[in-house]
Amino acid sequence: SNAVESIARRCSGIAIVGFLSRTSYSLFLVHYPVFLVVGAIVSRLWPQSIAMNALGLFATWALSLGAAALLYRWVEAPGTMPKAARHSS
């Protein structure tokens, strides 16, 4: 347990780990719809292209992270702020 806590403390200082931990719920919510949309587009336009399917997976990953960041910034984070802080920014 102490080893796990030590690893968690060290990793929490890494920017991408902090970003992923803050936006994980938003990412959970958006990744599947993004996957469905990108998958439908790729399979419709390039059904036999392995390269385009791989690019579609990368696009899904990138778009999901971007959508999660926006959802976190505009929906999730404001809901966790105290009321006074929401009105001052």
Side-chain angles (χ1 to χ4, degrees):
S1 178
N2 286 340
V4 172
E5 289 172 9
S6 175
I7 291 170
R9 258 186 262 111
R10 277 185 278 164
C11 288
S12 67
I14 301 170
I16 189 68
V17 174
F19 168 77
L20 290 173
S21 67
R22 283 188 309 277
T23 61
S24 62
Y25 184 66
S26 294
L27 183 60
F28 168 74
L29 293 176
V30 301
H31 84 281
Y32 190 66
V34 171
F35 172 75
L36 290 177
V37 170
V38 172
I41 292 169
V42 170
S43 68
R44 175 86 166 125
L45 299 176
W46 304 283
Q48 301 298 320
S49 174
I50 293 172
M52 291 308 290
N53 277 273
L55 186 61
L57 287 174
F58 177 76
T60 298
W61 174 75
L63 290 170
S64 293
L65 287 175
L70 292 173
L71 184 65
Y72 176 79
R73 167 66 176 92
W74 296 105
V75 177
E76 193 175 348
T80 61
M81 288 183 187
K83 197 172 193 175
R86 275 184 267 165
H87 295 294
S88 67
S89 53

XYZ file of all heavy atoms in Angstrom:
675
model
N 0.820 -1.191 0.000
C 0.000 0.000 0.000
C 0.867 1.259 0.000
O 0.563 2.207 -0.696
C -0.919 -0.017 1.207
O -1.680 1.160 1.236
N 1.936 1.260 0.785
C 2.828 2.423 0.811
C 3.524 2.607 -0.529
O 3.750 3.733 -0.953
C 3.856 2.302 1.928
C 3.233 2.536 3.291
O 2.166 3.128 3.378
N 3.883 2.055 4.330
N 3.871 1.498 -1.188
C 4.522 1.583 -2.495
C 3.564 2.178 -3.521
O 3.956 3.009 -4.346
C 4.992 0.204 -2.947
N 2.307 1.785 -3.478
C 1.309 2.319 -4.404
C 1.117 3.811 -4.167
O 1.046 4.601 -5.113
C -0.029 1.558 -4.264
C -1.122 2.218 -5.079
C 0.145 0.100 -4.662
N 1.040 4.211 -2.904
C 0.883 5.631 -2.588
C 2.087 6.437 -3.042
O 1.939 7.552 -3.538
C 0.668 5.806 -1.087
C -0.681 5.312 -0.617
C -0.811 5.323 0.898
O 0.085 5.871 1.584
O -1.803 4.766 1.385
N 3.278 5.862 -2.900
C 4.496 6.541 -3.325
C 4.507 6.738 -4.842
O 4.847 7.813 -5.335
C 5.716 5.727 -2.892
O 6.890 6.303 -3.399
N 4.125 5.715 -5.576
C 4.059 5.814 -7.041
C 3.013 6.845 -7.446
O 3.239 7.659 -8.333
C 3.761 4.434 -7.664
C 4.962 3.507 -7.469
C 3.417 4.562 -9.137
C 4.695 2.068 -7.816
N 1.864 6.814 -6.785
C 0.784 7.765 -7.104
C 1.245 9.200 -6.852
O 0.958 10.091 -7.651
C -0.453 7.449 -6.285
N 1.967 9.435 -5.753
C 2.469 10.778 -5.458
C 3.465 11.242 -6.510
O 3.433 12.378 -6.957
C 3.119 10.825 -4.075
C 2.213 11.440 -3.044
C 2.897 11.619 -1.707
N 2.503 10.486 -0.864
C 3.302 9.493 -0.462
N 4.567 9.497 -0.758
N 2.845 8.504 0.259
N 4.366 10.347 -6.936
C 5.356 10.715 -7.948
C 4.703 10.984 -9.292
O 5.071 11.914 -9.988
C 6.418 9.619 -8.098
C 7.512 9.732 -7.061
C 8.571 8.723 -7.307
N 8.071 7.486 -6.708
C 8.533 6.280 -6.927
N 9.513 6.114 -7.767
N 8.034 5.238 -6.330
N 3.728 10.187 -9.667
C 3.066 10.344 -10.968
C 2.150 11.560 -11.004
O 1.905 12.120 -12.069
C 2.259 9.091 -11.314
S 3.298 7.692 -11.735
N 1.626 11.976 -9.859
C 0.692 13.104 -9.849
C 1.364 14.404 -10.264
O 0.695 15.331 -10.690
C 0.037 13.252 -8.475
O 0.999 13.631 -7.511
N 2.680 14.480 -10.186
C 3.404 15.668 -10.619
C 3.605 15.738 -12.116
O 3.970 16.779 -12.652
N 3.358 14.641 -12.824
C 3.510 14.612 -14.269
C 2.260 15.236 -14.889
O 1.141 14.838 -14.578
C 3.722 13.165 -14.763
C 4.977 12.562 -14.113
C 3.816 13.116 -16.280
C 5.139 11.080 -14.353
N 2.455 16.206 -15.763
C 1.331 16.989 -16.290
C 0.255 16.133 -16.943
O -0.929 16.325 -16.687
C 1.843 18.036 -17.271
N 0.644 15.179 -17.792
C -0.357 14.386 -18.501
C -1.142 13.499 -17.526
O -2.348 13.294 -17.708
C 0.266 13.540 -19.644
C -0.815 12.891 -20.516
C 1.193 12.479 -19.100
C -1.613 13.847 -21.329
N -0.500 13.034 -16.489
C -1.195 12.220 -15.493
C -2.214 13.070 -14.752
O -3.355 12.648 -14.523
C -0.199 11.553 -14.507
C -0.932 10.839 -13.389
C 0.713 10.588 -15.248
N -1.837 14.302 -14.416
C -2.776 15.211 -13.764
C -3.958 15.534 -14.654
O -5.101 15.531 -14.212
N -3.677 15.790 -15.941
C -4.748 16.081 -16.897
C -5.695 14.888 -17.011
O -6.916 15.048 -16.951
C -4.147 16.414 -18.267
C -5.161 16.445 -19.373
C -6.003 17.536 -19.523
C -5.282 15.381 -20.259
C -6.948 17.571 -20.540
C -6.220 15.403 -21.271
C -7.057 16.500 -21.420
N -5.141 13.687 -17.180
C -5.980 12.501 -17.326
C -6.770 12.206 -16.058
O -7.919 11.761 -16.140
C -5.132 11.295 -17.726
C -4.560 11.334 -19.138
C -3.608 10.173 -19.362
C -5.661 11.361 -20.179
N -6.188 12.468 -14.909
C -6.935 12.207 -13.665
C -8.078 13.209 -13.488
O -9.152 12.839 -13.022
C -6.006 12.223 -12.455
O -5.489 13.513 -12.228
N -7.856 14.455 -13.889
C -8.935 15.452 -13.781
C -10.052 15.200 -14.783
O -11.225 15.413 -14.487
C -8.384 16.872 -13.993
C -7.649 17.439 -12.829
C -7.311 18.905 -13.054
N -6.655 19.164 -14.331
C -5.347 19.008 -14.560
N -4.568 18.581 -13.598
N -4.834 19.284 -15.739
N -9.700 14.792 -15.986
C -10.688 14.673 -17.055
C -11.169 13.240 -17.275
O -11.888 12.977 -18.240
C -10.117 15.213 -18.378
O -8.974 14.441 -18.742
C -9.760 16.679 -18.268
N -10.830 12.320 -16.395
C -11.151 10.903 -16.640
C -12.651 10.647 -16.766
O -13.081 9.871 -17.631
C -10.553 10.016 -15.550
O -11.102 10.335 -14.291
N -13.463 11.290 -15.960
C -14.902 11.052 -16.052
C -15.448 11.639 -17.359
O -16.242 10.994 -18.056
C -15.652 11.633 -14.851
C -17.121 11.306 -14.886
C -17.559 9.990 -14.746
C -18.069 12.300 -15.084
C -18.909 9.670 -14.802
C -19.426 11.990 -15.135
C -19.837 10.686 -14.987
O -21.164 10.363 -15.048
N -14.997 12.821 -17.714
C -15.413 13.416 -18.984
C -14.971 12.544 -20.156
O -15.725 12.344 -21.111
C -14.818 14.819 -19.130
O -15.349 15.682 -18.161
N -13.761 12.013 -20.078
C -13.261 11.122 -21.121
C -14.120 9.866 -21.211
O -14.453 9.406 -22.309
C -11.801 10.772 -20.872
C -11.109 9.916 -21.914
C -11.114 10.593 -23.274
C -9.684 9.611 -21.482
N -14.491 9.323 -20.070
C -15.375 8.155 -20.037
C -16.694 8.459 -20.752
O -17.205 7.638 -21.510
C -15.629 7.743 -18.584
C -16.726 6.744 -18.432
C -16.546 5.425 -18.799
C -17.962 7.123 -17.936
C -17.576 4.505 -18.670
C -18.993 6.219 -17.797
C -18.794 4.899 -18.172
N -17.234 9.645 -20.537
C -18.518 10.006 -21.140
C -18.440 10.217 -22.652
O -19.374 9.876 -23.370
C -19.075 11.277 -20.486
C -19.495 11.153 -19.023
C -19.915 12.514 -18.496
C -20.606 10.137 -18.855
N -17.347 10.789 -23.145
C -17.301 11.174 -24.558
C -16.623 10.166 -25.471
O -16.848 10.195 -26.684
C -16.631 12.553 -24.762
C -17.368 13.637 -24.014
C -15.170 12.530 -24.427
N -15.811 9.260 -24.941
C -15.010 8.429 -25.838
C -15.857 7.518 -26.730
O -15.560 7.342 -27.902
C -13.970 7.604 -25.070
C -14.477 6.329 -24.505
N -15.209 6.281 -23.336
C -14.386 5.058 -24.954
C -15.528 5.012 -23.092
N -15.051 4.256 -24.059
N -16.923 6.962 -26.208
C -17.712 6.018 -26.999
C -18.480 6.710 -28.134
O -18.421 6.246 -29.277
C -18.644 5.204 -26.100
C -19.297 4.063 -26.825
C -18.541 2.996 -27.305
C -20.669 4.053 -27.055
C -19.128 1.958 -27.986
C -21.265 3.009 -27.741
C -20.490 1.959 -28.199
O -21.070 0.930 -28.881
N -19.164 7.823 -27.889
C -19.808 8.513 -29.015
C -18.799 8.975 -30.074
O -19.075 8.884 -31.273
C -20.514 9.710 -28.375
C -20.660 9.365 -26.949
C -19.527 8.442 -26.610
N -17.641 9.458 -29.639
C -16.613 9.874 -30.594
C -16.154 8.668 -31.411
O -16.021 8.731 -32.639
C -15.415 10.552 -29.886
C -14.250 10.776 -30.837
C -15.846 11.862 -29.258
N -15.938 7.543 -30.736
C -15.542 6.313 -31.418
C -16.578 5.892 -32.460
O -16.228 5.512 -33.584
C -15.340 5.200 -30.382
C -15.120 3.846 -30.981
C -13.908 3.527 -31.563
C -16.124 2.901 -30.966
C -13.706 2.269 -32.129
C -15.936 1.643 -31.517
C -14.711 1.333 -32.105
N -17.860 5.977 -32.112
C -18.913 5.594 -33.051
C -18.942 6.500 -34.276
O -19.072 6.022 -35.411
C -20.277 5.614 -32.364
C -20.528 4.521 -31.335
C -21.898 4.710 -30.684
C -20.420 3.142 -31.957
N -18.818 7.805 -34.062
C -18.868 8.753 -35.183
C -17.654 8.577 -36.090
O -17.792 8.458 -37.314
C -18.986 10.208 -34.674
C -18.792 11.200 -35.800
C -20.326 10.415 -33.996
N -16.471 8.555 -35.514
C -15.259 8.420 -36.327
C -15.253 7.056 -37.019
O -14.931 6.956 -38.209
C -13.982 8.613 -35.477
C -12.731 8.280 -36.277
C -13.910 10.039 -34.952
N -15.638 6.017 -36.303
C -15.690 4.685 -36.898
C -16.657 4.617 -38.070
O -16.370 4.000 -39.104
N -17.802 5.245 -37.941
C -18.790 5.261 -39.032
C -18.246 6.002 -40.247
O -18.410 5.551 -41.385
C -20.093 5.903 -38.555
N -17.583 7.130 -40.016
C -17.022 7.907 -41.136
C -15.926 7.121 -41.844
O -15.927 7.003 -43.078
C -16.503 9.271 -40.642
C -17.671 10.147 -40.195
C -15.671 9.973 -41.712
C -17.254 11.403 -39.448
N -15.002 6.566 -41.062
C -13.881 5.828 -41.649
C -14.374 4.589 -42.387
O -13.944 4.310 -43.511
C -12.829 5.463 -40.577
C -11.796 4.487 -41.116
C -12.150 6.717 -40.058
N -15.286 3.836 -41.787
C -15.761 2.623 -42.449
C -16.589 2.929 -43.691
O -16.635 2.140 -44.624
C -16.548 1.745 -41.474
O -17.759 2.367 -41.109
N -17.223 4.087 -43.736
C -18.012 4.484 -44.912
C -17.104 4.949 -46.046
O -17.306 4.596 -47.195
C -18.972 5.615 -44.516
C -19.759 6.186 -45.641
C -21.007 5.372 -45.867
N -21.907 6.129 -46.727
C -22.386 5.644 -47.841
N -22.094 4.427 -48.213
N -23.195 6.373 -48.565
N -16.101 5.762 -45.709
C -15.239 6.335 -46.743
C -14.093 5.425 -47.170
O -13.686 5.434 -48.333
C -14.680 7.686 -46.275
C -15.716 8.770 -45.981
C -15.038 10.017 -45.434
C -16.519 9.099 -47.240
N -13.525 4.687 -46.238
C -12.360 3.840 -46.525
C -12.524 2.458 -45.897
O -11.764 2.077 -45.003
C -11.091 4.492 -45.977
C -10.855 5.874 -46.479
C -10.380 6.232 -47.697
C -11.085 7.088 -45.773
N -10.304 7.590 -47.796
C -10.730 8.150 -46.628
C -11.559 7.398 -44.493
C -10.838 9.475 -46.251
C -11.670 8.721 -44.134
C -11.305 9.743 -45.001
N -13.478 1.670 -46.354
C -13.774 0.403 -45.686
C -12.637 -0.631 -45.755
O -12.527 -1.470 -44.867
C -15.016 -0.109 -46.412
C -15.010 0.576 -47.729
C -14.350 1.899 -47.495
N -11.788 -0.549 -46.756
C -10.730 -1.559 -46.923
C -9.336 -1.058 -46.557
O -8.373 -1.800 -46.692
C -10.727 -2.063 -48.370
C -12.032 -2.678 -48.821
C -12.411 -3.910 -48.019
O -11.554 -4.730 -47.680
N -13.686 -4.025 -47.674
N -9.217 0.177 -46.119
C -7.897 0.762 -45.875
C -7.460 0.574 -44.428
O -8.013 1.191 -43.506
C -7.921 2.255 -46.214
O -6.697 2.852 -45.857
N -6.442 -0.240 -44.262
C -5.890 -0.466 -42.920
C -5.275 0.829 -42.384
O -5.431 1.166 -41.215
C -4.859 -1.613 -42.940
C -5.578 -2.931 -43.259
C -4.126 -1.709 -41.610
C -4.651 -4.083 -43.497
N -4.591 1.553 -43.250
C -3.947 2.805 -42.819
C -4.985 3.825 -42.346
O -4.788 4.483 -41.313
C -3.118 3.381 -43.957
N -6.081 3.953 -43.070
C -7.112 4.916 -42.666
C -7.823 4.461 -41.390
O -8.232 5.294 -40.581
C -8.110 5.146 -43.790
C -7.514 5.892 -44.974
S -6.672 7.428 -44.532
C -8.046 8.447 -44.049
N -7.971 3.161 -41.210
C -8.547 2.665 -39.968
C -7.631 2.968 -38.784
O -8.103 3.350 -37.714
C -8.841 1.170 -40.069
C -10.159 0.897 -40.748
O -11.192 0.873 -40.098
N -10.135 0.732 -42.062
N -6.333 2.807 -38.982
C -5.375 3.159 -37.928
C -5.410 4.656 -37.646
O -5.393 5.082 -36.481
C -3.970 2.717 -38.327
N -5.487 5.456 -38.703
C -5.590 6.905 -38.533
C -6.891 7.269 -37.821
O -6.923 8.180 -36.987
C -5.510 7.602 -39.890
C -5.454 9.120 -39.866
C -4.223 9.599 -39.109
C -5.443 9.663 -41.279
N -7.954 6.533 -38.111
C -9.231 6.744 -37.427
C -9.135 6.478 -35.936
O -9.719 7.201 -35.124
N -8.386 5.445 -35.559
C -8.187 5.172 -34.132
C -7.422 6.302 -33.461
O -7.758 6.730 -32.351
C -7.450 3.848 -33.938
C -8.268 2.602 -34.206
C -7.389 1.360 -34.114
C -9.423 2.497 -33.223
N -6.383 6.800 -34.143
C -5.632 7.928 -33.602
C -6.525 9.162 -33.496
O -6.491 9.883 -32.492
C -4.402 8.228 -34.462
C -3.634 9.420 -33.979
C -2.814 9.319 -32.861
C -3.751 10.646 -34.604
C -2.119 10.427 -32.383
C -3.067 11.751 -34.140
C -2.244 11.640 -33.030
N -7.332 9.408 -34.527
C -8.249 10.553 -34.510
C -9.253 10.413 -33.362
O -9.569 11.394 -32.685
C -8.980 10.669 -35.846
N -9.748 9.192 -33.145
C -10.670 8.951 -32.036
C -10.018 9.301 -30.710
O -10.618 9.951 -29.855
C -11.136 7.480 -32.033
O -11.841 7.218 -33.244
C -12.023 7.175 -30.843
N -8.788 8.863 -30.539
C -8.043 9.137 -29.308
C -7.882 10.641 -29.106
O -8.204 11.173 -28.046
C -6.687 8.434 -29.387
C -5.767 8.735 -28.262
C -5.827 8.257 -26.992
C -4.634 9.609 -28.308
N -4.800 8.779 -26.253
C -4.048 9.607 -27.039
C -4.067 10.374 -29.318
C -2.918 10.350 -26.741
C -2.939 11.111 -29.023
C -2.381 11.092 -27.741
N -7.419 11.335 -30.154
C -7.164 12.771 -30.040
C -8.465 13.562 -29.838
O -8.533 14.449 -28.983
C -6.433 13.263 -31.287
N -9.478 13.237 -30.621
C -10.755 13.945 -30.487
C -11.405 13.679 -29.131
O -12.026 14.574 -28.552
C -11.699 13.548 -31.620
C -11.316 14.051 -33.013
C -12.183 13.387 -34.077
C -11.430 15.565 -33.077
N -11.264 12.471 -28.628
C -11.825 12.147 -27.312
C -11.145 12.953 -26.215
O -11.812 13.469 -25.315
C -11.697 10.651 -27.015
O -12.504 9.898 -27.881
N -9.820 13.073 -26.292
C -9.101 13.876 -25.293
C -9.508 15.343 -25.386
O -9.710 16.003 -24.365
C -7.594 13.730 -25.466
C -6.999 12.399 -25.035
C -5.508 12.353 -25.378
C -7.214 12.154 -23.558
N -9.631 15.854 -26.600
C -10.046 17.240 -26.777
C -11.459 17.489 -26.281
O -11.724 18.465 -25.575
N -12.379 16.592 -26.635
C -13.765 16.734 -26.190
C -13.865 16.602 -24.673
O -14.632 17.326 -24.028
C -14.650 15.694 -26.874
N -13.078 15.708 -24.089
C -13.085 15.544 -22.634
C -12.572 16.801 -21.949
O -13.117 17.236 -20.919
C -12.242 14.337 -22.227
N -11.526 17.418 -22.507
C -10.993 18.651 -21.923
C -12.041 19.763 -21.958
O -12.212 20.492 -20.980
C -9.736 19.084 -22.666
N -12.750 19.872 -23.085
C -13.801 20.897 -23.193
C -14.956 20.610 -22.238
O -15.464 21.522 -21.577
C -14.314 20.975 -24.627
C -13.327 21.526 -25.650
C -13.892 21.380 -27.059
C -12.987 22.969 -25.346
N -15.380 19.361 -22.179
C -16.470 18.997 -21.274
C -16.080 19.263 -19.824
O -16.869 19.798 -19.044
C -16.854 17.529 -21.461
C -18.034 17.024 -20.647
C -19.326 17.721 -21.069
C -18.182 15.513 -20.814
N -14.843 18.913 -19.482
C -14.371 19.166 -18.120
C -14.350 20.671 -17.840
O -14.853 21.129 -16.823
C -12.972 18.579 -17.915
C -12.424 18.899 -16.553
C -12.830 18.178 -15.444
C -11.536 19.946 -16.367
C -12.360 18.493 -14.175
C -11.062 20.269 -15.109
C -11.478 19.536 -14.019
O -11.022 19.860 -12.776
N -13.781 21.448 -18.763
C -13.618 22.893 -18.554
C -14.951 23.619 -18.431
O -15.128 24.476 -17.586
C -12.803 23.474 -19.718
C -12.803 24.987 -19.830
C -12.088 25.640 -18.647
N -12.004 27.075 -18.781
C -12.898 27.937 -18.298
N -13.956 27.514 -17.662
N -12.731 29.233 -18.430
N -15.918 23.286 -19.281
C -17.142 24.055 -19.352
C -18.312 23.452 -18.589
O -19.301 24.142 -18.347
C -17.538 24.300 -20.801
C -16.515 25.138 -21.485
C -15.592 24.713 -22.392
C -16.256 26.524 -21.283
N -14.784 25.756 -22.771
C -15.175 26.887 -22.111
C -16.838 27.507 -20.482
C -14.663 28.171 -22.159
C -16.324 28.791 -20.540
C -15.261 29.113 -21.366
N -18.225 22.177 -18.217
C -19.354 21.550 -17.524
C -18.953 21.024 -16.145
O -19.559 21.378 -15.140
C -19.960 20.402 -18.372
C -21.082 19.698 -17.627
C -20.436 20.920 -19.709
N -17.938 20.192 -16.109
C -17.589 19.525 -14.857
C -16.907 20.456 -13.859
O -17.321 20.529 -12.698
C -16.691 18.321 -15.162
C -16.525 17.388 -14.003
C -15.730 16.148 -14.361
O -15.488 15.881 -15.555
O -15.343 15.440 -13.417
N -15.884 21.173 -14.280
C -15.129 22.031 -13.359
C -15.974 23.143 -12.742
O -15.893 23.365 -11.531
C -13.898 22.601 -14.044
N -16.780 23.865 -13.516
C -17.590 24.918 -12.890
C -18.550 24.378 -11.830
O -18.848 25.064 -10.860
C -18.367 25.537 -14.056
C -17.535 25.260 -15.248
C -16.902 23.918 -14.980
N -18.994 23.162 -11.996
C -19.897 22.571 -11.012
C -19.225 22.210 -9.707
O -19.881 22.015 -8.692
N -17.894 22.140 -9.715
C -17.167 21.798 -8.492
C -16.632 23.021 -7.759
O -16.131 22.903 -6.655
C -15.988 20.852 -8.797
O -15.081 21.503 -9.679
C -16.477 19.561 -9.424
N -16.737 24.206 -8.387
C -16.264 25.439 -7.744
C -17.290 25.971 -6.756
O -18.491 25.805 -6.971
C -16.058 26.532 -8.801
C -14.920 26.364 -9.689
S -14.900 27.837 -10.743
C -13.640 27.388 -11.872
N -16.811 26.628 -5.712
C -17.755 27.326 -4.832
C -18.491 28.396 -5.625
O -17.978 28.951 -6.587
C -16.875 27.954 -3.764
C -15.580 27.228 -3.845
C -15.449 26.716 -5.246
N -19.707 28.717 -5.238
C -20.535 29.660 -5.984
C -19.866 31.018 -6.161
O -19.915 31.604 -7.235
C -21.886 29.818 -5.272
C -22.945 30.426 -6.134
C -24.277 30.359 -5.444
C -25.381 30.677 -6.411
N -26.693 30.515 -5.848
N -19.200 31.534 -5.157
C -18.550 32.853 -5.237
C -17.432 32.837 -6.283
O -17.257 33.801 -7.013
C -17.986 33.245 -3.884
N -16.677 31.751 -6.374
C -15.579 31.659 -7.337
C -16.102 31.602 -8.762
O -15.464 32.094 -9.688
C -14.724 30.439 -7.040
N -17.255 31.002 -8.980
C -17.835 30.922 -10.324
C -18.194 32.280 -10.872
O -18.057 32.550 -12.042
C -19.098 30.049 -10.317
C -18.781 28.582 -10.454
C -20.058 27.807 -10.542
N -20.368 27.402 -9.169
C -21.517 26.960 -8.753
N -22.525 26.865 -9.575
N -21.703 26.613 -7.510
N -18.658 33.172 -10.016
C -19.085 34.492 -10.466
C -17.935 35.464 -10.641
O -18.079 36.451 -11.341
C -20.135 35.065 -9.501
C -21.394 34.259 -9.505
N -22.209 34.186 -10.597
C -21.944 33.460 -8.561
C -23.248 33.391 -10.329
N -23.083 32.941 -9.090
N -16.799 35.194 -10.037
C -15.674 36.118 -10.127
C -14.838 35.880 -11.381
O -14.076 36.731 -11.775
C -14.783 36.020 -8.901
O -14.152 34.753 -8.861
N -14.951 34.719 -12.050
C -14.095 34.461 -13.230
C -14.788 34.652 -14.529
O -15.829 35.003 -14.754
C -13.563 33.034 -13.200
O -14.589 32.090 -13.050
